[in-house]
Amino acid sequence: MFATHWADDLRLAEISWRLSAGSVQIDLANSARGRERMALGSPQTDGNEDASEDVHGRWLQLLDRSTGNPSYRDEWFDEQCGGCRFWIPLSGDLGLDWGACTHAASRFDGRVRFEHDGCEHFSVRDDGAFG
């Protein structure tokens, strides 16, 4: 059996394989580093108001379009992430205000966004719902 590791910052798995009777068996297992980052139980923010407020406060600093900004345009009010068909809410307490962008052309694709934020790739949901 032989195991190989990716570079320290990229290592997410150990890959091992074994040759036997003309076949190759491949096994993927979490590396020690990956296991250290995994935690059992519910998210640290669920039911922990201080942790949720801390995360919420940090993430609000990353807004693209803040309604409190004097340069906020009136037309953006109807183009907020929570009403976009490409916005998927998070689970747990943070899911009340936060979700992930899934629009491939958006610079926010794959990033967590505030439901009242927005970008130029907004596309209204078919059901017209928000959040």
Side-chain angles (χ1 to χ4, degrees):
M1 182 177 282
F2 179 84
T4 186
H5 301 281
W6 298 94
D8 280 343
D9 355 50
L10 300 176
R11 181 177 50 182
L12 299 176
E14 293 177 356
I15 302 172
S16 61
W17 64 88
R18 181 177 40 188
L19 296 173
S20 64
S23 67
V24 178
Q25 289 182 329
I26 300 175
D27 296 312
L28 297 175
N30 289 333
S31 69
R33 182 175 178 181
R35 284 190 298 272
E36 289 169 7
R37 292 186 294 194
M38 295 176 69
L40 299 175
S42 62
Q44 61 103 7
T45 56
D46 273 1
N48 183 338
E49 192 172 320
D50 290 338
S52 289
E53 287 179 14
D54 179 54
V55 171
H56 186 75
R58 284 194 330 266
W59 287 355
L60 280 175
Q61 296 175 30
L62 305 173
L63 292 181
D64 184 48
R65 298 178 176 176
S66 173
T67 55
N69 189 327
S71 65
Y72 189 84
R73 297 186 204 156
D74 290 339
E75 64 267 20
W76 289 347
F77 185 78
D78 293 326
E79 298 177 357
Q80 296 177 4
C81 293
C84 183
R85 65 181 298 179
F86 295 100
W87 188 78
I88 300 173
L90 298 180
S91 63
D93 294 340
L94 288 174
L96 299 173
D97 295 315
W98 297 91
C101 175
T102 64
H103 195 297
S106 173
R107 68 184 183 274
F108 301 117
D109 184 36
R111 295 185 184 180
V112 174
R113 307 303 307 155
F114 185 50
E115 67 178 346
H116 298 292
D117 201 356
C119 79
E120 64 277 7
H121 296 287
F122 174 84
S123 179
V124 69
R125 291 172 48 160
D126 294 336
D127 61 6
F130 188 88

